[in-house]
Amino acid sequence: MEWKLFADLAEIAGDRAVAVDAEPGDTVGDALDALLEAHPDLRDRVLEDGTVADHINVLRNGRSVRHDEEGLDATLEAGDELALFPPVSGGAAGR
């Protein structure tokens, strides 16, 4: 599986796309654990008290896993796209 990382998460990991040792049948949480194991510097940015921080968005196929009944326990399928987004703000007003 591959994670797409955005903003400072990509900077911390050193790439915008990171392959991890997870496959269909594993869970989103397993894939996240594999990402954090491969890139431990992400751990403090992504986790808070051992769970995904409220301000971090974990997406599976473009949909937040927070909105899915199974959440991080959702089973991965072939072709799933995983992504991590930190909070996004900015833009210039009045341009």
Side-chain angles (χ1 to χ4, degrees), residues 6-55:
F6 295 87
D8 67 324
L9 300 177
E11 292 175 28
I12 293 168
D15 204 342
R16 293 184 63 191
V18 177
V20 296
D21 187 22
E23 55 192 47
D26 290 340
T27 66
V28 174
D30 294 333
L32 181 59
D33 289 344
L35 174 66
L36 298 178
E37 185 175 312
H39 297 277
D41 290 343
L42 287 171
R43 189 172 301 278
D44 288 340
R45 181 71 172 100
V46 172
L47 300 182
E48 190 170 276
D49 296 326
T51 61
V52 176
D54 288 340
H55 61 274

